[in-house]
Amino acid sequence: MKRIYMDANATTPLLPEVVEAMRPYWMECFGNASSIYLDGQQARAAVDRARATMAEFFNCHEAEVVFNSGGTEGDNTAIFGLLRPGDHFITTAIEHSAILRAAERMAERGVKVTFVAPQASGLIDPKEIQRALRPETRLVSVMLANNETGVLQPVEEIGKITAEAGAYFHIDAVQGAGKVPLDVRRFGCHLLSISAHKMHGPKGIGAMFVRSGTPLESLIVGGSHERRRRAGTENVPGIVGLGKAAELAMHSLEDGVYNRLAKLRDRLEAGILELPGTGVNGAWDGDKRVPRVANTTNIWFDNLEGEALVIALDLKGVAVSGGSACHSGATEPSHVLMAMGIDKTRARASLRFSLLKTATEADVDFVLKVVPEAVEHLRAISPVAAGTAG
Ligand code: PLP
């Protein structure tokens, strides 16, 4: 059966160039980058090349790049590595669980935490960050792009506010990386986390920008890898794959791939919105469009269960994600949509469509054919539509 994958914000496939770049580092050039003989030097040279690419990707110095295992580790490192009991930490209610759960743990350990709520549009108002600041605020962490709505946050403005207050600023850029240009100097951040598997690189590898002089304690201790900021033998094939993915992402940004993708996304969105009882979460602020990454749209469908629609679309060959997450067997509506003030029923009936950068017009045509069929069928049989579901 034909399958269309529209869940790029969950993960992406490796591009062939990435696989090719990684291939030698599994077998022929398998050395440990810390060994001084030739095999080790080959591995070290590959890590150094990837580090140079990442420095270009972030617009920072090579010494400010730290390789790690991905977005969760970067987010955890920022929080556990900087905060101590008595500190105040500001983050937002729409962050990924890698930030939220780490913040909750620090709250149990005597860190005061403020979760800033978004506006109905999904945007964080920088003035709310300003209002939340206290003399003891040590760290502010705000995501670049939200994983569920794609809404791009005003990180530059937040960076200025945080700098004036003398606090450290971390950006979870996992969903923005490769979709919009990153520039840590312009953003004014001290720390920024990214993950390779969201940008056509391998899973389990990521990188962090750590501004020189930032007193970040390492999460993992052991050897003196990564200038003592992250112990553990380097995942050389992974690092090479991340470097290649970042290089290709920089080309895509220059080649107008994302303008094409935004047009495809807009056509998909407009096509689905022709169905009655539908709307977009996080696209409008009054009559102004909210800035979003080019590949994402989050759509609500009245009178049906989002989870049922995810399954129905899967059976028809389309992979998308629901606006809810499964916690211990119970389906909870998305914390992001709820924080935006969307009611539980509508949050449960929301789906995220996130296009791969390789998506085609034919993919969109196919999805526009099967979504109305699935929605009409489910509405016809849905207990929600019949008003019997609680
Ligand atoms: N931050 C955001 C915004 C994400 O979307 C994700 C993954 O979904 C993560 C962090 C975690 O990244 P990783 O899967 O590399 O641990």
Side-chain angles (χ1 to χ4, degrees):
M1 200 218 303
K2 177 172 170 152
R3 282 198 67 82
I4 305 294
Y5 180 83
M6 274 209 185
D7 203 15
N9 291 7
T11 196
T12 57
L14 270 71
L15 290 170
E17 297 93 322
V18 174
V19 179
E20 279 315 306
M22 291 171 74
R23 199 185 295 282
Y25 296 95
W26 298 112
M27 291 177 76
E28 298 110 74
C29 306
F30 63 90
N32 184 322
S34 300
S35 303
I36 57 168
Y37 42 80
L38 181 66
D39 311 71
Q41 284 173 22
Q42 283 172 337
R44 171 61 54 206
V47 170
D48 287 348
R49 279 194 298 275
R51 196 183 304 284
T53 307
M54 295 316 295
E56 195 189 334
F57 191 61
F58 291 147
N59 186 28
C60 70
H61 196 275
E62 287 171 29
E64 295 173 313
V65 175
V66 180
F67 291 112
N68 61 18
S69 68
T72 301
E73 187 181 325
D75 288 352
N76 277 216
T77 304
I79 292 174
F80 298 139
L82 268 182
L83 294 167
R84 296 294 164 260
D87 288 340
H88 177 231
F89 172 45
I90 301 173
T91 188
T92 82
I94 57 168
E95 299 297 309
H96 188 267
S97 49
I99 292 285
L100 297 177
R101 298 293 91 76
E104 285 163 12
R105 180 169 290 182
M106 289 317 273
E108 287 162 13
R109 295 182 181 172
V111 169
K112 299 272 177 292
V113 185
T114 304
F115 296 97
V116 171
Q119 297 168 315
S121 62
L123 276 172
I124 299 294
D125 183 353
K127 287 196 210 79
E128 291 299 321
I129 302 283
Q130 178 117 53
R131 251 193 287 281
L133 283 164
R134 301 181 195 167
E136 65 275 21
T137 305
R138 182 156 167 90
L139 177 65
V140 174
S141 183
V142 178
M143 67 202 325
L144 176 58
N146 183 265
N147 41 309
E148 296 190 30
T149 60
V151 171
L152 283 161
Q153 302 301 337
V155 289
E156 224 177 303
E157 241 180 291
I158 295 170
K160 286 198 187 96
I161 291 169
T162 339
E164 274 163 26
Y168 292 103
F169 182 30
H170 168 252
I171 300 176
D172 172 343
V174 169
Q175 293 290 347
K179 298 173 190 159
V180 293
L182 301 184
D183 185 340
V184 294
R185 303 284 176 234
R186 188 163 52 78
F187 294 166
C189 59
H190 300 82
L191 303 161
L192 178 141
S193 310
I194 65 136
S195 179
H197 76 100
K198 308 285 188 185
M199 43 185 261
H200 298 277
K203 294 172 180 60
I205 186 80
M208 212 179 175
F209 156 72
V210 181
R211 195 196 286 185
S212 110
T214 309
L216 185 72
E217 193 170 272
S218 63
L219 197 62
I220 300 175
V221 292
S224 55
H225 312 88
E226 298 297 291
R227 296 172 183 250
R228 298 194 179 279
R229 289 168 301 187
R230 204 278 187 181
T233 301
E234 291 90 342
N235 171 359
V236 179
I239 289 171
V240 169
L242 169 59
K244 192 50 151 184
E247 185 189 314
L248 296 170
M250 286 189 277
H251 291 160
S252 291
L253 287 167
E254 282 165 12
D255 290 350
V257 168
Y258 287 94
N259 290 339
R260 186 191 70 86
L261 205 56
K263 287 200 184 99
L264 275 183
R265 185 269 317 270
D266 291 347
R267 185 162 80 80
L268 173 76
E269 193 172 272
I272 297 176
L273 293 185
E274 281 179 19
L275 285 166
T278 55
V280 182
N281 297 312
W284 296 95
D285 183 9
D287 56 359
K288 275 207 320 258
R289 265 200 175 278
V290 167
R292 286 183 295 172
V293 285
N295 78 323
T296 309
T297 179
N298 192 304
I299 299 183
W300 51 263
F301 297 85
D302 275 347
N303 299 326
L304 53 75
E305 276 286 344
E307 212 176 20
L309 185 52
V310 170
I311 295 166
L313 291 176
D314 184 31
L315 293 174
K316 287 173 181 288
V318 175
V320 295
S321 216
S324 52
C326 195
H327 297 292
S328 341
T331 305
E332 290 294 329
S334 142
H335 70 279
V336 174
L337 301 183
M338 299 277 286
M340 287 161 62
I342 292 162
D343 73 59
K344 261 190 183 178
T345 312
R346 194 166 268 183
R348 276 212 181 90
S350 294
L351 255 56
R352 172 184 78 188
F353 297 79
S354 52
L355 285 72
L356 292 171
K357 68 178 178 185
T358 48
T360 63
E361 297 284 350
D363 294 347
V364 169
D365 291 340
F366 186 75
V367 175
L368 285 179
K369 183 174 133 341
V370 303
V371 168
E373 289 168 6
V375 168
E376 277 154 27
H377 174 68
L378 284 175
R379 280 182 176 163
I381 60 165
S382 163
V384 181
T388 52

